[in-house]
Amino acid sequence: MMRNLLWRGMLAGLIGALVAATFALLFAEPQIDAAVALEAHNAVHAMADEELVSRATQKTWGLYTAMGLYGTALGGLLAIVFAGLYGRVARVGPRSLALLLAVAAFVAIVLVPAIKYPPTPPAVGLHETVRLRTAAYFAMLALSVAAATLALWSYRRLAGRIAGLDRLLIAIGIYVGTVALVQRLLPVIDEVPARFPATLLWQFRLAAIGTQALFWLVAADLFGRAAERTVRDGQRRVAR
């Protein structure tokens, strides 16, 4: 069953990534084009070197390739986590569990890191701080996942001692408290130019987060439907 769940998760992740990439092409890429044009207009010196990868390639083949690899990997990870938690954490059906995992992943992997370090288009951020910004973002991402793992461990550890709703509230409190502490300790990075259009920045960030939300929704729903059939078939074989 694990093998069947794994390839179904990877396929669902790939399909979700293609849908999300199309959304990004329609809503995020126009904001990136506008930011690139603004950056070129504000540049003091014209760049002598040509781009290694053209914008036309970046927002078509490059976008779909990157999102496809990203989605396939995360779809497989979703299937592995699903297999480890199904029947052990909460009494919910396969599709419901897949959607709950997607919501948790979206919060821990996308939303919470974006609160501290929101996505930014070209022309925002100094070249000198690229390494610092990258390291800080991935540190926030890793610590958010670690905090979510700690919250889940606490939820399961308190089973049988505290009512289910109270355990859930305690787990949420542990996650929020840990994340708040981490965000306070990590460096503040604010490099948005004063002249950068606020509307453009806002629209880009909405499109970037919306792309991730759409990916997790589509991937989890498709995987959840496939997992229902896989679990049902497995139960039938056991019954025989």
Side-chain angles (χ1 to χ4, degrees):
M1 185 181 297
M2 183 62 232
R3 182 179 60 185
N4 291 334
L5 287 174
L6 182 60
W7 77 259
R8 282 173 170 79
M10 295 174 69
L11 180 60
L14 176 60
I15 296 173
L18 296 179
V19 173
T22 302
F23 178 88
L25 180 63
L26 295 175
F27 295 98
E29 290 298 332
Q31 315 305 327
I32 296 177
D33 287 337
V36 169
L38 181 65
E39 185 178 35
H41 178 74
N42 294 336
V44 178
H45 302 288
M47 296 183 64
D49 299 331
E50 295 183 358
E51 293 178 322
L52 295 177
V53 181
S54 67
R55 275 293 299 146
T57 301
Q58 290 176 22
K59 63 183 182 182
T60 51
W61 293 108
L63 173 64
Y64 280 90
T65 300
M67 285 295 296
L69 294 173
Y70 171 86
T72 302
L74 287 182
L77 183 60
L78 174 65
I80 293 172
V81 175
F82 172 91
L85 296 181
Y86 181 67
R88 295 179 175 88
V89 176
R91 294 182 179 179
V92 295
R95 189 180 176 194
S96 297
L97 178 59
L99 290 172
L100 287 173
L101 288 175
V103 171
F106 175 75
V107 171
I109 297 176
V110 179
L111 191 58
V112 167
I115 292 175
K116 179 65 177 181
Y117 301 116
T120 55
V124 174
L126 302 175
H127 294 292
E128 297 81 3
T129 62
V130 170
R131 291 184 178 180
L132 172 63
R133 286 184 281 121
T134 302
Y137 174 80
F138 279 105
M140 182 68 252
L141 175 61
L143 291 169
S144 175
V145 173
T149 304
L150 176 62
L152 177 61
W153 178 84
S154 301
Y155 178 83
R156 296 188 63 185
R157 188 71 176 177
L158 295 174
R161 306 177 187 177
I162 302 177
L165 181 58
D166 291 333
R167 283 192 293 142
L168 179 62
L169 292 175
I170 291 173
I172 293 174
I174 290 173
Y175 177 73
V176 172
T178 304
V179 164
L181 177 62
V182 167
Q183 291 195 350
R184 185 162 184 85
L185 294 176
L186 288 174
V188 175
I189 299 176
D190 184 7
E191 299 177 348
V192 180
R195 295 184 179 181
F196 194 88
T199 302
L200 176 58
L201 182 62
W202 174 248
Q203 290 175 345
F204 172 81
R205 287 175 173 173
L206 280 181
I209 294 176
T211 298
Q212 293 290 332
L214 184 60
F215 161 72
W216 282 107
L217 176 62
V218 173
D221 185 60
L222 291 177
F223 173 71
R225 293 173 186 270
E228 282 185 336
R229 292 191 295 270
T230 301
V231 172
R232 190 186 312 119
D233 292 342
Q235 291 173 344
R236 289 174 180 173
R237 286 193 294 267
V238 172
R240 291 175 184 175

